[in-house]
Amino acid sequence: MARPDKAAAVAELAEQFRSSNAAVLTEYRGLTVAQLKQLRRSLGENAQYAVVKNTLTKIAANEAGINALDDLFAGPTAVAFVTGDPVESAKGLRDFAKDNPNLIIKGGVLDGKALSADEIKKLADLESREVLLAKLAGAMKGKQSQAAALFQALPSKFVRTAEALRAKKAEQGGAE
């Protein structure tokens, strides 16, 4: 009687693995319900944090084509499915884990590539996508300003040189 429920749960989890940019596996042993609620809020709007059954989640991950996480499905497991910027969610997990040592980041997957717990912490150290795009735009604008100054300098240098030549010819013409 429970088979259809399990099949539906596996199908739902497999779809979440397929539709998310990243998934981070954590161990939540020792966290209270209130702390889990706080953790869900700290992950941001583009992540869903769900306590899962290891066997069903392992089957769902394999169905979604993710085999690298098989060793991480041990002990009480919860998965953060990230659909937007993974850096924001990684920062939320890292910061929450600093304040609550009972949360252990086991590892995860980003765009189909397996990540260790250390790699997820390095991901959290990156700046957000918006900050990186703003820096890129600033650098590009700076290069455009340099190019504009260079292009403006060439005609003005030509005019100054031509004016100097004209003045020199006028001076030589007047001296003879």
Side-chain angles (χ1 to χ4, degrees), residues 22-23 68-69 72 106-110 113-120 123:
L69 303 177
L72 302 178
K106 295 180 177 183
V109 63
L110 174 64
K113 181 186 175 284
L115 298 176
S116 68
D118 290 333
E119 290 172 323
I120 292 171
L123 181 66

Side-chain angles (χ1 to χ4, degrees), residues 23-99:
V24 180
L25 275 67
T26 63
E27 184 175 321
Y28 63 93
R29 186 188 329 250
L31 293 177
T32 65
V33 173
Q35 288 172 323
L36 286 173
K37 196 180 231 184
Q38 179 186 357
L39 173 59
R40 285 185 175 100
R41 280 195 301 265
S42 71
L43 289 177
E45 296 177 8
N46 61 354
Q48 180 183 0
Y49 190 74
V51 174
V52 295
K53 292 187 180 260
N54 288 334
T55 307
L56 298 180
T57 308
K58 185 176 180 179
I59 293 168
N62 289 333
E63 280 185 14
I66 301 169
N67 301 322
L69 303 177
D70 288 354
D71 297 339
L72 302 178
F73 292 111
T77 303
V79 182
F81 293 103
V82 183
T83 55
D85 184 15
V87 174
E88 179 185 346
S89 298
K91 283 181 184 189
L93 284 168
R94 179 199 60 195
D95 295 343
F96 188 85
K98 281 182 186 176
D99 297 336

Side-chain angles (χ1 to χ4, degrees), residues 128-140:
S128 71
R129 182 176 188 270
E130 289 77 21
V131 171
L132 292 174
L133 287 174
K135 284 185 175 184
L136 177 64
M140 292 174 76

